[in-house]
Amino acid sequence: MNKELAQYINTLLAEKQREVLSKQAYLDKIDENFERHFTEYQEIEYQLGMVYKAQKAMDYIIEEEN
């Protein structure tokens, strides 16, 4: 994988992270069923964790290209 592709993927990951954080902020504002809320928060935490891991992998690839 080359540096440009890794940078592009990093950009896509940043967009996904903003989307997930926006959903989290929305859930913080609404008052709904606790069980549903808890499940959605688990999903958000999982997604944020995966985005973080992928971003770190892309950062590693970018650094290796330098």
Side-chain angles (χ1 to χ4, degrees), residues 1 7-9 11 18 20 23 25 27-29 31 33 35 40 42 51-53 58 60:
M1 181 180 298
Q7 288 173 332
Y8 175 69
I9 292 172
T11 302
R18 281 191 293 276
V20 172
K23 182 178 180 182
L27 289 176
D28 287 341
K29 291 180 183 179
D31 186 29
N33 182 345
E35 186 175 313
E40 289 184 20
Q42 284 180 320
V51 166
Y52 176 78
K53 289 178 183 178
M58 293 303 108
Y60 177 77

Side-chain angles (χ1 to χ4, degrees), residues 2-60:
N2 63 21
K3 182 179 177 179
E4 291 80 21
L5 181 58
Q7 288 173 332
Y8 175 69
I9 292 172
N10 240 353
T11 302
L12 295 176
L13 290 168
E15 289 177 21
K16 178 64 176 177
Q17 184 178 29
R18 281 191 293 276
E19 176 187 318
V20 172
L21 289 173
S22 175
K23 182 178 180 182
Q24 185 178 34
Y26 172 75
L27 289 176
D28 287 341
K29 291 180 183 179
I30 62 173
D31 186 29
E32 286 192 18
N33 182 345
F34 175 76
E35 186 175 313
R36 179 175 174 211
H37 232 36
F38 182 72
T39 303
E40 289 184 20
Y41 273 114
Q42 284 180 320
E43 180 182 323
I44 287 170
E45 289 300 316
Y46 174 78
Q47 289 178 356
L48 288 174
M50 294 306 293
V51 166
Y52 176 78
K53 289 178 183 178
Q55 284 175 327
K56 289 298 170 191
M58 293 303 108
D59 289 343
Y60 177 77

